[in-house]
Amino acid sequence: MKQHTLFDDRQDHIPLATRLRPETLDEYVGQEHLLGKDKLLRQLIDQDRLSSMIFWGPPGVGKTTLANIIAKTTNAHYIDFSAVTSGIKEIKEVMNRAELDRQVGKKTIVFIDEIHRFNKAQQDAFLPFVEKGSIILIGATTENPSFELNTAVLSRCKVFVLHSLNQEDIVALLQIALNSEKGLKSFQVQIDPELLEVLAGFSNGDARVALNTLEMVVLNSKQEDGKSIVTKEIVEQCTSKKSLLYDKKGEEHYNIISALHKSMRNSDVDASIYWLARMLEAGEDPLYVARRIVRFASEDIGMADSRALEICVAAYQACHYLGMPECNVHLTHAVTYLALAPKSNALYMAYNQAKVDANSTLAEPVPLQLRNAPTKLMKELDYGKGYQYAHDTQEKITMMQCLPKSLQGKEYYHPTNQGSEVKVAQRLLQIKDWRNSHK
């Protein structure tokens, strides 16, 4: 029996990701916050009411694909520009033709991939034509437009933020590839659903990486009775990963994030870094890890070292800007800081205790002295009566009651003797002593 080769009956050597590029919005996967029913961008495209815009997002999330779909659905003339190969001379020539088209009532859309690579002079060359309406500029960038684009250009463009594709989106794309005539249908691929999850995780939200990896896996699969059998070993070989049984939705996912939390809580730096590496090397979304450590910073450290929260938020931003593998060192930085920081769960305990009382006193009215009185009627009803402005006092404290009557005297926050919380405890004691001395 003749064995398939990956390019039998296909356009010569065109990558799977290119062959499967969607041609309509209905085929497009992901970015529901922009392209879902009644969302702004979807309406602009469907109604052909486009204005200049910037697509900002990480690689492989569909920025160029979305521009190509716009090209097929709009009545405008479409020009695809490259920020890498185009100079000011080429820009001006195209812009002049676009202006002539505008004068006879024809719109021109100019798509610029990697627009952040254009220097200031190149960006300025577009500006007068954007202002006159000669062109509708659509730029795509992986970099923050606030830092990389001229203010004048940016002020005339609507920025749409595209997110990394989630696990479900990537799996859906892989299934489309396996069942599409343009994809891998003729190979009759047999692959366990859990291995599709593994490939989706390995892609880190990048559709191009996911599809290209699937193509490589199928190319190297075993051929049996005209079918392509994909095994765990083949997936590991094609991704150079040995820990791919980590399942982002299964028990092991929760076991490992639990191990990371408890290692940091126990101030075990080496174990914390190890469990972090286990997650990242298995394809975990770095933003998921970053979100979890942001929570940890307040739940397990809190006022004992408030810098922990700042560092974790900075690590989250670094993960958003860079992605894997570059951001692994930022997460290591944050995890190490958290493991070494003094620990306190006082904020966590305080909220949980306050939550119990809040749920049992939801009908308790706000004390009159704490209410605003923006209208005459409210003033007549004593809203704000008895309010004491702390800044008018020398100590910046008053004896005004701020809790509902049924909860007066309640204490939720009990600082520990760890780290900076020692100073917090001293300040809290000073406030209590002052109030006790003025009763």
Side-chain angles (χ1 to χ4, degrees):
M1 179 181 292
K2 179 184 175 182
Q3 287 194 344
H4 283 291
T5 63
L6 193 60
F7 303 106
D8 284 347
D9 303 321
R10 289 175 173 79
Q11 302 175 57
D12 288 344
H13 305 286
I14 297 177
L16 179 61
T18 301
R19 300 201 305 272
L20 289 178
R21 193 183 294 278
E23 296 182 357
T24 67
L25 288 179
D26 291 335
E27 297 175 357
Y28 191 91
V29 175
Q31 314 307 331
E32 285 295 316
H33 65 294
L34 299 178
L35 300 170
K37 183 180 180 182
D38 297 329
K39 297 300 183 181
L40 176 60
L41 184 55
R42 179 65 180 250
Q43 291 182 346
L44 292 175
I45 296 172
D46 286 343
Q47 299 170 17
D48 198 9
R49 295 190 296 108
L50 297 170
S51 58
S52 292
M53 63 186 73
I54 303 295
F55 295 152
W56 173 30
V61 298
K63 300 185 295 294
T64 302
T65 296
L66 191 51
N68 288 337
I69 290 174
I70 291 173
K72 291 180 173 66
T73 58
T74 183
N75 292 322
H77 180 48
Y78 183 85
I79 300 173
D80 194 342
F81 246 100
S82 170
V84 179
T85 60
S86 302
I88 292 179
K89 179 181 178 182
E90 292 84 358
I91 293 172
K92 289 184 175 179
E93 289 177 356
V94 171
M95 294 304 98
N96 288 330
R97 289 199 300 271
E99 172 60 15
L100 293 175
D101 285 342
R102 184 189 70 83
Q103 293 174 6
V104 295
K106 187 172 184 178
K107 293 186 295 185
T108 299
I109 291 178
V110 175
F111 173 68
I112 306 173
D113 198 12
E114 298 187 284
I115 192 172
H116 58 274
R117 293 182 180 272
F118 270 153
N119 59 36
K120 185 178 185 299
Q122 289 171 311
Q123 291 182 33
D124 284 344
F126 285 102
L127 189 57
F129 300 96
V130 173
E131 288 180 329
K132 287 190 295 185
S134 303
I135 65 167
I136 296 170
L137 175 64
I138 300 179
T141 179
T142 57
E143 306 296 326
N144 190 328
S146 299
F147 303 137
E148 302 297 335
L149 298 186
N150 292 356
T151 302
V153 172
L154 190 58
S155 67
R156 290 161 177 80
C157 296
K158 169 68 177 174
V159 176
F160 291 101
V161 180
L162 279 70
H163 300 156
S164 294
L165 299 182
N166 59 37
Q167 185 89 352
E168 291 76 15
D169 290 336
I170 296 291
V171 170
L173 283 173
L174 296 178
Q175 290 171 335
I176 289 171
L178 293 173
N179 296 307
S180 171
E181 297 288 352
K182 295 187 295 184
L184 304 169
K185 183 175 182 179
S186 64
F187 289 90
Q188 300 184 52
V189 179
Q190 289 188 359
I191 181 171
D192 289 339
E194 70 175 21
L195 292 181
L196 288 180
E197 296 279 352
V198 165
L199 291 173
F202 173 73
S203 71
N204 196 28
D206 187 324
R208 191 180 300 109
V209 170
L211 291 170
N212 289 343
T213 305
L214 177 65
E215 189 173 44
M216 184 186 302
V217 165
V218 173
L219 174 63
N220 289 278
S221 63
K222 297 178 181 178
Q223 300 296 315
E224 294 181 7
D225 299 325
K227 297 179 180 179
S228 301
I229 312 299
V230 176
T231 64
K232 169 179 170 284
E233 290 72 24
I234 292 170
V235 171
E236 288 183 345
Q237 290 173 17
C238 292
T239 57
S240 300
K241 298 289 180 180
K242 295 300 181 184
S243 55
L244 287 176
L245 285 182
Y246 174 82
D247 179 359
K248 289 187 183 181
K249 294 182 178 179
E251 178 182 351
E252 194 65 4
H253 164 80
Y254 295 106
N255 286 342
I256 294 183
I257 191 63
S258 175
L260 173 61
H261 272 222
K262 290 170 182 173
S263 298
M264 292 189 297
R265 184 176 292 151
N266 200 43
S267 300
D268 191 327
V269 175
D270 296 312
S272 300
I273 296 173
Y274 168 77
W275 292 117
L276 171 67
R278 275 281 296 270
M279 298 182 82
L280 295 180
E281 292 305 310
E284 181 58 81
D285 180 358
L287 289 177
Y288 169 78
V289 181
R291 287 192 295 270
R292 298 310 306 159
I293 65 174
V294 168
R295 165 73 184 194
F296 182 95
S298 292
E299 178 180 338
D300 285 271
I301 296 172
M303 298 294 288
D305 185 351
S306 292
R307 279 280 294 152
L309 180 59
E310 299 173 17
I311 286 171
C312 288
V313 171
Y316 178 91
Q317 292 175 327
C319 291
H320 176 71
Y321 292 143
L322 298 179
M324 283 290 288
E326 288 84 357
C327 72
N328 56 15
V329 69
H330 303 298
L331 288 172
T332 305
H333 182 167
V335 163
T336 301
Y337 190 97
L338 296 179
L340 293 175
K343 304 299 188 295
S344 169
N345 70 343
L347 297 179
Y348 174 76
M349 298 299 293
Y351 182 82
N352 283 342
Q353 292 173 26
K355 180 175 69 174
V356 173
D357 284 343
N359 284 326
S360 64
T361 59
L362 291 176
E364 189 82 22
V366 174
L368 288 173
Q369 64 268 25
L370 297 183
R371 301 186 192 185
N372 286 328
T375 69
K376 181 180 178 181
L377 175 61
M378 289 179 172
K379 289 179 182 178
E380 291 174 351
L381 293 174
D382 289 339
Y383 279 38
K385 184 178 181 180
Y387 174 68
Q388 300 172 31
Y389 188 54
H391 288 288
D392 287 341
T393 70
Q394 182 177 352
E395 296 85 2
K396 310 303 179 187
I397 310 170
T398 77
M399 292 297 293
M400 180 177 64
Q401 290 290 342
C402 296
L403 279 169
K405 283 186 179 181
S406 63
L407 295 177
Q408 286 180 10
K410 273 276 189 175
E411 295 182 0
Y412 300 111
Y413 177 52
H414 301 282
T416 69
N417 62 353
Q418 296 298 306
S420 299
E421 207 160 29
V422 173
K423 294 181 179 179
V424 175
Q426 292 173 351
R427 172 60 178 161
L428 191 57
L429 183 60
Q430 288 176 348
I431 294 171
K432 288 181 180 178
D433 287 345
W434 185 90
R435 288 201 168 117
N436 288 332
S437 68
H438 286 72
K439 285 183 177 178

